[in-house]
Amino acid sequence: MLDATPLTDSWILRYDGTDLPAEVPGCVHTDLLRHGVIPDPFLGRNETEVAWVGRREWTYEVELADGVSGGHDQTDLVFDGLDTAAEILLDGRLLGSVRNMHRSYRFDVTGMSGRLSVRFASAYAEAQAVRERLGDRPNAYPEPFQYIRKMACSFGWDWGPTLVTAGIWRPVRLERWSTARIARVRPLVTVDGTTGCVELLVDVERAAVEPGLRLEARIGDVRAVAEVDGTNGVVRLEVPRAELWWPRGYGEQPLYEVELTLYAGVDALDVWRRRIGFRALELDTSRDAHGSGFTFVVNGERLFVRGVNWIPDDVFPSRVTRERYHERLTQAADAGVDLVRVWGGGIYESEDFYDLCDELGLLVWQDFPFACAAYPEEQPLRGEVEAEARENVVRLMPHPSLVLWNGNNENLWGFKDWGWEERLAGESWGEGYYLGVLPRVVAESDPTRPYTAGSPWSGSWERHPNDPAYGTHHSWEVWNREDYAAYRREVPRFVAEFGWQAPPAYATLRRALADLGEELAADSPGMLHHQKAEDGNGKLERGLARHFVVPDGDFDRWHYLTQVNQARAVAAGIEHWRSHWPVCAGTIVWQLNDCWPVTSWAAIDGDGREKPLYHELRRLYADRLLTLQVRERRLVLAVVNQAAQAWKGEVRLRRMSVDGVVIGETDAGFTAGARTVAPVGVPKGLEPVGPKEFLVADTDGRRALHFPATDREIPYPQPEFDVSVAPGGVTVTARTLVRDLLLQADRLDPDARADRGLVTLLPGEQVTIGVSGWKTPDPDTARSALHCLEPGR
């Protein structure tokens, strides 16, 4: 039987005559940080002080005992991930050179021993050498990330630091085996009626000519056997009355373990085990009266996708454990998310990520790692791209959560709109990958899943790549140049990216900027260093000014209002687009998470704290949602029901003044069928007029509000409310209208968390905000952490 021995101990990181004990898996930065050689690059402006790390060579070494033992025929040295350009030597002999972070590598070291050295070149030096050979190409950032198959965002992004890593970032081991081993398994999983079908296409590597190799596979009590023909074999299993795997909110997530064993006679040589799920999958992109759609269909159920974009959860991805994945993905599921898009400037995540998505019912949209740049298609990159694609498509095939392969992020759009075509003057830029190599790899390796050439993509060069009426759409003009009310101008078929910025939580900022000794201010040097977007603060301020009086020198007020504006902006988009289902079939918010403490579009900041946006997503992505929308100059209540059962009831409509007086009210019945949207007309006499009035719609504990004026025009009363400490939380009782009340729990204690975000209370209403992690609760301290909208502010 194949014997695997992890190589995790006794590694040394060597540079300039210095030897440091190293952790493997890991990277140079984390080793240097652990030994105090560099400061924490997440704090203050330390990022700039450690820039030298990415521009020099590094060597990892370990003593390797005799590579042959236990009577095995062959010993392989296996690296699951090397970051990125490196030479591997054993006892001074070159085993090979590598240049791709996204691949694994295997070297035959049978009978060999001695000093194992992994010598990493600077990623900058490797990228520059490729650029000089292939010529310059445009990109969205001034770093050479498109010339090396490495996590692009380690070179910095408009939310990320420039920390160019090197190291053995995934596990390394010795594998000893005899006769033959299982080299690759492609599980094609389909559903035929009530029968689950699995076809295992197996590649075998042989160390000796051994006739009579066979494969035995099982799923529970279902078993099948097949002979190996040379180096290939196919085993088919059928599971009667298979339970279907569903996205969260639509059903359960049953998983079946498949075990495949390779035999020579009675001897078991190798075993492959994975969990699979049975589900039917379709991506409907057919033409209709509105253009062409982009609708996921799982087990015959058409979905409105409630998604988030995912970036690497740490700029040093070797630090992301299964426990951290579990925390972040559970946060996503708890917010009502049912799809996570793994963005193309990052990585193919670890098995833990996809395993957890399988368990949680989170659909995965997987980008191939291409983002915001023109990528050369010549060697040495072309061969690397195809090799990495083939490996990762096969690696991730078993996961039922994986529902889409996407060729790139914004590169087709960039070619059309960002001046690339003229600059390229006929040079290659990646089109051959997205419309040639990658769809061919997916079709050959994983024909059970759909592929799309990019995001955004309208399906054809006959239309603009970002045409909202066709396929996927990225909505960034709003954040960059307009008020978020502009989201309501159009109904894209599928919104794959949109978002609005806000700073991280107060405690996160305090930790990140503590060593600078500066007062927190929107434009302090520390705050600006942790704002990576072009004119990010200017866009934040202009976005505020359209709705509020921009605070002058009051950081706490600025911090609160930017959080409110972020939640309001995202709500404006999602409520509008959800109300137009099934024309619009999904939204994917940019973004769920951060990789360090930074002002960004994230709902969860770099320290894992939830912003108000996160709690707003729980409302926006709930199965049932009320939203008041203006349609053809009339106010309409859209009753959005994504649940499997019809929603029937009565909604109470109240036209009110900001002073709390009810001007008019009525009850209206509604019926929204399963997975439908039902419009309820608002009587003309209940439509609010002017800045002193608003409309409230309530049913089944859900509420929608409509204010016809911007906040800066509304004469809010001075908010009055009582605060008391309840068991496990804080109770607030309103004596006036209290708009967008927010308890910033991390101001009570850095470890404290609140169970909700923004809430609006009418006079006489009460809310209890659950708080965990607060060690010494008292009402005065609670009041100091409460914020709400105030007149003239």
Side-chain angles (χ1 to χ4, degrees), residues 544-558:
L544 278 182
R546 295 182 179 108
H547 295 270
F548 305 102
V549 175
V550 179
D552 183 13
D554 186 343
F555 177 81
D556 289 350
R557 196 70 188 165
W558 176 87

Side-chain angles (χ1 to χ4, degrees), residues 61-76:
E61 292 190 344
V62 71
E63 197 67 32
L64 199 63
D66 189 349
V68 133
S69 67
H72 290 89
D73 295 341
Q74 183 162 326
T75 300
D76 291 340

